[in-house]
Amino acid sequence: MFWDFQWTFEVLPDLLRGLGVTIQVTVVGYLIALILGLLIAIVRRIPIFGSVLHAVMEFIRTTPLIIQLVFVFLLAPSTVSGLTVGIIVIGVHYSAYTAEVYRSGIEGVAKGQWEAARALSLPGRRTWGAIVLPQAIRKVIPALGNYLIAMFKDTPLLLAIGVTELLTEAQRVGSASFRIVEAYTAVGLLFLLVSVPSAILIRRLERRYAAV
């Protein structure tokens, strides 16, 4: 038979376990990218750090993620798992992109808002926390959401460092039973099952915040 439904249902728990790892990498890595990207965007406004951080971020953006994964994995201590390396590297990699998104949002805050904060003698922490960031982040939520989907689709690259995520699990069970078509098709369907609802949510966010 071209398609073995019984085999597909038998290996589905294995594939779902791999999907769980994929989602874990995506969620934790995305949180790292959001937090680190915001810190980078703020620190880059300090002249003494701006040019150095810009160079580092450009290096990260212009080198392949898979090379970064393998390089860090080979240099990491043996006690650090491939999963940990994968989460950290993918989070730092995407922080280089989220930092640019935050930067555009911060620069989009009207100059008068900054001047009003200075006129009221507001401390820097309150200026950023109560005036600048609420406006900047609100404007860039849809763009940040797009990187969540991009990160989810990049998780199969963790195969290079031995992380058993969804694609690796499919490759294992498919090769063992010579049912590659079923295994890879199931992977595609599971990816769609997660990414399509995420894309719909992001589109709704775009419509909601388009006029902000």
Side-chain angles (χ1 to χ4, degrees):
M1 294 178 61
F2 176 72
W3 189 278
D4 190 336
F5 286 97
Q6 181 179 353
W7 180 89
T8 304
F9 285 111
E10 287 176 355
V11 301
L12 187 58
D14 295 328
L15 297 180
L16 290 177
R17 184 168 57 250
L19 178 62
V21 175
T22 294
I23 293 175
Q24 178 185 356
V25 172
T26 303
V27 172
V28 181
Y30 188 62
L31 290 176
I32 293 174
L34 290 180
I35 296 171
L36 184 58
L38 179 58
L39 293 175
I40 292 170
I42 294 174
V43 174
R44 276 190 60 181
R45 296 181 64 87
I46 303 175
I48 191 173
F49 297 115
S51 58
V52 175
L53 277 176
H54 176 72
V56 173
M57 293 301 101
E58 283 298 310
F59 175 79
I60 292 176
R61 281 196 297 268
T62 54
T63 53
L65 174 57
I66 191 170
I67 299 299
Q68 296 171 16
L69 286 167
V70 173
F71 183 77
V72 175
F73 180 72
L74 292 176
L75 292 181
S78 58
T79 55
V80 179
S81 66
L83 178 61
T84 301
V85 171
I87 290 173
I88 293 174
V89 171
I90 202 169
V92 173
H93 180 85
Y94 272 91
S95 71
Y97 296 94
T98 58
E100 286 299 306
V101 174
Y102 285 125
R103 182 186 61 80
S104 65
I106 292 171
E107 292 181 352
V109 176
K111 185 178 180 181
Q113 300 286 325
W114 297 90
E115 294 174 347
R118 286 194 294 268
L120 294 172
S121 299
L122 294 179
R125 180 178 298 178
R126 184 162 177 79
T127 298
W128 280 96
I131 298 176
V132 177
L133 291 183
Q135 297 181 66
I137 294 176
R138 185 181 179 89
K139 294 178 180 179
V140 300
I141 286 177
L144 293 174
N146 290 330
Y147 284 116
L148 174 63
I149 297 178
M151 182 182 292
F152 179 67
K153 293 189 296 183
D154 273 347
T155 54
L157 295 177
L158 271 65
L159 168 67
I161 58 175
V163 177
T164 310
E165 40 69 58
L166 178 56
L167 183 61
T168 309
E169 192 67 46
Q171 186 181 55
R172 182 186 68 81
V173 298
S175 300
S177 304
F178 301 100
R179 309 301 303 187
I180 297 297
V181 174
E182 290 94 328
Y184 281 19
T185 302
V187 168
L189 293 175
L190 289 173
F191 266 96
L192 287 174
L193 186 64
V194 176
S195 60
V196 170
S198 301
I200 293 173
L201 176 61
I202 291 170
R203 296 298 173 265
R204 290 182 178 178
L205 290 173
E206 288 179 351
R207 289 195 295 269
R208 179 173 180 178
Y209 294 105
V212 177

